[in-house]
């Protein structure tokens, strides 16, 4: 399905997929229009074609929205070099190998892997370490890719660069070449505002110099700007990492440094959100004032007969047939979809209660449960078997999530509140039952339950901090959510606003056009 590059010695590092896998926004959103000292053009193939190099942070929740952005660029005639770490590059290629080719009709998408500086078998979920090794290992390869010096599949030099706002150190190489640059923030604008505004939180005594909350309990609540809702310093993205206070301190310094650099250096700072979703954040007095919302970026789109499905960028092979055939057989709005993203884990005791709630729950509601390999390792085999054999349920290791959420049979989504999952639930009008695990998921839960009121909490306390949530409680929360007409109505309205923002005269679509034009300069 894919062709390894013939141009570089390490064949595992570069591949091209089949078919040549191959504001009305305000001016403050785009702060610099510079003369490009090196006006790069494709040196092979179509010399006039713009060529974007995309660099997502090496996590599933970043690679997927970046791949969506890649498709939007391909739609507009850009060639795209999509740079993953070697480790994730292999996963994306392997997960896609059984799928139809990603692109056709002259679209030119090149998938590339570069070393992340970690050795074989090292724990890549150790983000603190990964952040450090990547900055050492990646720049030389990135520079070579920017110069078209690594085969390039005929795409030539990159003419513009989009990096993850979580890796804004990578902007320097593009800037030295005078290329137009963008940074994409793959979480909510609210979380970005808090990180960019951290200095004022330190000044106001909400957090200390290392990001730790100064006050505990009810005193830890703060409001960053008039337009923003109260937030709890205990649950800021870095303060609820699974791990030590030391890790939280390092993540705080990394996040603030990278976010400030993205704001200062990128020509445009994109965010996967939409104005109607975060109107209180996307305001002139917010620390996130310079953000250009272009979301919700969707991770799949309907294809017409015979047309190949676009590459999503999954790390695991999605079992689409198992999911969709099951959903097709269920009544409308009946199915509980359960998925906790790519990183969250649960204790064996909690997984057991969840399994019992789903498989033996009094209501016998149909369920589709993603038991990701890392999550499933801890569920005893007899329970996995019991769940897998439940007549009214289906267990998969990985689902084509947005296709699942778009299916009319899905009635609610039990989620860890990752930002992509949150957006995907909303854009498909699916009520959310929130069970956050770490990082920004608590902030997202606050918005889901208290601001937009399109979901409910599984518990008032974070997973693991109050002991196991019993199967009876889980069933009770599911039934409450499914029986709440108000939630259903509100999420339906947000769904319409989401759709409007990315179609016709929608603001996110306009912003996307502005971004594309800037990248062509
Ligand atoms: N996802 C998927 N299939 C699954 C579970 C998740 O395609 O079975 C996708 C989901 O659609 C989302 C991404 O993986 O786009 C997870 O990102 P999110 O921000 O929700 O959570 P994270 O994995 O970063 O914690």
């Amino acid at each position: 399905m894919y062709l390894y590059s013939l141009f570089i010695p390490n064949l595992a590092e570069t591949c091209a997929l089949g078919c040549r896998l191959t504001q009305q926004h305000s001016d403050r959103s785009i702060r610099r229009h510079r003369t490009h000292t090196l006006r790069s053009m494709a040196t092979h193939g179509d010399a006039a074609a713009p060529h974007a190099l995309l660099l997502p942070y090496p996590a599933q929740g970043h690679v997927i929205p970046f791949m969506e952005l890649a498709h939007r660029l391909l739609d507009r005639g850009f060639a795209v070099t999509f740079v993953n770490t070697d480790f994730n590059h292999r996963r994306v290629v392997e997960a896609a190998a059984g799928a139809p080719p990603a692109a056709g009709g002259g679209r030119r998408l090149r998938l590339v892997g570069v070393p992340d500086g970690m050795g074989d078998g090292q724990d890549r979920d150790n983000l603190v370490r990964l952040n450090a090794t990547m900055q050492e290992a990646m720049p030389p390869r990135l520079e070579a890719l920017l110069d078209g010096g690594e085969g390039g599949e005929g795409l030539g030099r990159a003419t513009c660069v989009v990096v993850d706002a979580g890796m804004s150190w990578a902007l320097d190489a593009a800037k030295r070449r005078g290329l137009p640059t963008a940074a994409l923030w793959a979480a909510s604008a609210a979380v970005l505002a808090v990180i960019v505004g951290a200095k004022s939180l330190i000044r106001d005594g909400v957090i200390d110099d290392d990001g730790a909350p100064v006050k505990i309990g009810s005193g830890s609540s703060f409001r960053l700007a008039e337009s923003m809702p109260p937030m709890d310093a205990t649950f800021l993205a870095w303060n609820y990492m699974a791990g030590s206070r030391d890790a939280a301190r390092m993540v705080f310094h990394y996040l603030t440094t990278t976010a400030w650099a993205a704001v200062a250096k990128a020509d445009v700072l994109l965010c996967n959100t939409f104005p109607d979703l975060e109107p209180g954040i996307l305001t002139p007095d917010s620390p996130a004032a310079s953000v250009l919302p272009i979301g919700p970026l969707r991770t799949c789109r309907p294809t017409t007969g015979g047309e190949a499905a676009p590459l999503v960028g999954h790390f695991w092979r999605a079992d689409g047939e198992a999911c969709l055939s099951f959903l097709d057989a269920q009544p409308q709005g009946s199915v509980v979809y359960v998925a906790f993203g790519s990183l969250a884990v649960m204790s064996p005791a909690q997984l057991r209660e969840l399994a019992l709630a789903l498989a033996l729950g009094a209501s016998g509601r149909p369920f589709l449960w993603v038991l990701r390999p890392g999550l499933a390792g801890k569920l005893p085999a007899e329970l996995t078997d019991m769940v897998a054999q439940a007549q009214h349920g289906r267990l998969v290791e990985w689902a084509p999530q947005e296709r699942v959420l778009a299916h009319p049979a899905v009635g609610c989504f039990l989620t860890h509140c990752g930002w992509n999952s949150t957006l995907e639930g909303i854009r498909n009008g699916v009520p959310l039952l929130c069970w956050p695990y770490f990082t920004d998921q608590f902030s997202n839960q606050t918005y889901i339950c208290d601001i937009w009121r399109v979901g409910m909490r599984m518990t008032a306390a974070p997973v693991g901090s109050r002991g196991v949530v019993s199967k009876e409680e889980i069933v009770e929360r599911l039934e409450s959510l499914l029986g709440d007409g108000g939630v259903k109505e509100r999420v339906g309205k947000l769904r319409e606003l989401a759709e409007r923002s990315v179609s016709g005269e929608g603001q996110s679509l306009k912003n996307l056009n502005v971004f594309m034009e800037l990248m062509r300069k």
Side-chain angles (χ1 to χ4, degrees):
M1 190 53 62
Y2 54 87
L3 310 166
Y4 282 112
S5 168
L6 299 176
F7 296 98
I8 61 169
N10 183 352
L11 296 186
E13 288 180 345
T14 298
C15 84
L17 288 182
C19 299
R20 274 216 65 69
L21 261 203
T22 106
Q23 134 180 25
Q24 186 164 351
H25 80 94
S26 60
D27 286 344
R28 68 189 144 78
S29 299
I30 298 164
R31 282 139 294 142
R32 281 171 303 286
H33 294 263
R34 293 148 302 111
T35 25
H36 304 304
T37 48
L38 201 158
R39 174 78 189 254
S40 304
M41 304 265 268
T43 51
H44 316 280
D46 179 1
H51 172 192
L53 183 141
L54 268 56
L55 178 68
Y57 190 83
Q60 181 71 96
H62 295 240
V63 170
I64 287 179
F66 262 81
M67 188 59 80
E68 171 59 19
L69 191 60
H71 287 299
R72 303 288 64 75
L73 286 158
L74 292 163
D75 289 346
R76 312 292 177 90
F78 282 75
V80 172
T81 292
F82 195 96
V83 185
N84 273 310
T85 60
D86 279 336
F87 183 74
N88 288 337
H89 172 71
R90 281 193 290 273
R91 298 164 90 186
V92 166
V93 169
E94 274 166 27
R107 292 155 76 87
R108 297 180 308 158
L109 171 61
R110 177 172 60 140
L111 302 184
V112 180
V114 299
D116 59 13
M118 288 274 221
D120 282 349
Q122 281 190 295
D123 177 13
R124 286 178 167 80
D125 289 344
N126 181 343
L127 301 183
V128 173
R129 188 168 154 69
L130 188 61
N131 290 338
T133 60
M134 283 194 301
Q135 286 185 67
E136 290 285 314
M138 281 187 169
R141 289 292 309 281
L142 286 176
E143 305 239 3
L145 283 166
L146 284 175
D147 292 337
E150 297 220 355
E153 314 295 331
L155 303 184
R157 288 177 190 273
T159 61
C160 59
V161 173
V162 186
V163 307
D164 199 299
M167 299 168 81
S168 52
W169 48 266
L171 288 165
D172 293 337
K175 290 179 74 65
R176 277 197 297 277
R177 289 162 175 76
L179 301 178
T181 55
L184 172 62
W185 178 253
S188 72
V191 169
L192 180 65
V194 170
I195 293 169
V196 174
K199 278 184 184 150
S200 67
L201 296 180
I202 295 170
R203 186 197 58 214
D204 296 345
V206 176
I207 53 175
D208 68 17
D209 287 348
D210 290 328
V214 170
K215 296 179 192 136
I216 306 293
S218 55
S220 62
S221 175
F222 69 93
R223 198 184 270 264
L224 196 58
E226 274 296 298
S227 57
M228 291 178 67
M231 300 180 92
D232 185 339
T234 318
F235 294 119
L236 293 175
W238 56 87
N239 278 338
Y240 211 81
M241 295 286 294
S244 63
R245 179 64 231 154
D246 219 30
R249 178 179 58 79
M250 283 190 267
V251 172
F252 170 71
H253 289 295
Y254 182 83
L255 279 176
T256 47
T257 304
T258 192
W260 289 332
V263 171
K265 292 181 186 173
D267 293 332
V268 58
L269 179 55
L270 310 171
C271 184
N272 187 14
T273 187
F274 57 103
D276 286 322
L277 191 65
E278 299 190 86
I281 307 297
L282 302 164
T283 61
D285 66 334
S286 152
S290 65
V291 156
L292 197 66
I294 56 163
L297 293 165
R298 85 166 113 196
T299 62
C300 80
R301 60 198 57 248
T303 46
T304 49
E307 194 189 337
L311 185 71
V312 175
H314 287 143
F315 287 177
W316 295 272
R317 181 87 57 93
D319 198 345
E321 170 51 31
C323 295
L324 298 171
S325 62
F326 173 74
L327 292 174
D328 284 345
Q330 309 307 321
Q332 187 161 346
S334 65
V335 176
V336 177
Y337 173 58
V338 183
F340 300 110
S342 61
L343 295 166
V345 290
M346 267 189 183
S347 69
Q350 187 60 79
L351 270 181
R352 183 187 151 77
E353 286 305 295
L354 179 55
L356 293 171
L358 294 173
L360 306 177
S363 58
R365 280 202 182 268
F367 67 89
L368 173 58
W369 185 9
V370 177
L371 209 48
R372 199 190 70 234
L375 188 78
K378 295 170 186 161
L379 192 65
E382 68 273 14
L383 266 185
T384 317
D385 292 348
M386 182 192 73
V387 174
Q389 281 157 21
Q391 292 294 317
H392 60 293
R394 177 91 15 126
L395 198 60
V396 294
E397 289 202 336
W398 194 250
Q401 180 160 297
E402 192 157 354
R403 287 171 72 197
V404 165
L405 289 168
H407 197 288
V410 173
C412 75
F413 179 13
L414 174 49
T415 171
H416 70 310
C417 307
W419 183 241
N420 295 287
S421 295
T422 301
L423 280 180
E424 290 158 13
I426 285 172
R427 81 166 294 151
N428 289 295
V430 179
L432 304 163
L433 185 54
C434 301
W435 214 351
Y437 171 63
F438 74 164
T439 60
D440 61 339
Q441 295 154 17
F442 296 94
S443 165
N444 300 338
Q445 173 179 249
T446 302
Y447 274 79
I448 291 167
C449 299
D450 306 336
I451 314 287
W452 308 318
R453 293 163 57 228
V454 296
M456 291 180 181
R457 288 176 170 79
M458 176 63 88
T459 71
V463 180
S465 72
R466 53 138 275 178
V468 171
V469 182
S470 71
K471 59 180 184 304
E472 290 80 12
E473 286 173 279
I474 295 171
V475 170
E476 186 276 316
R477 296 311 288 158
L478 280 170
E479 291 307 319
S480 299
L481 180 67
L482 283 157
D484 191 320
V487 165
K488 182 84 193 138
E489 193 186 323
R490 286 187 290 275
V491 76
K493 285 194 179 133
L494 264 191
R495 171 205 184 138
E496 281 168 25
L497 293 172
E499 199 50 50
R500 206 179 298 161
S501 76
V502 290
S503 49
E505 291 293 297
Q507 192 60 55
S508 288
L509 188 57
K510 285 184 189 166
N511 292 344
L512 198 64
N513 292 338
V514 168
F515 154 70
M516 298 276 179
E517 285 314 307
L518 190 67
M519 292 299 104
R520 285 181 195 277
K521 288 192 194 295

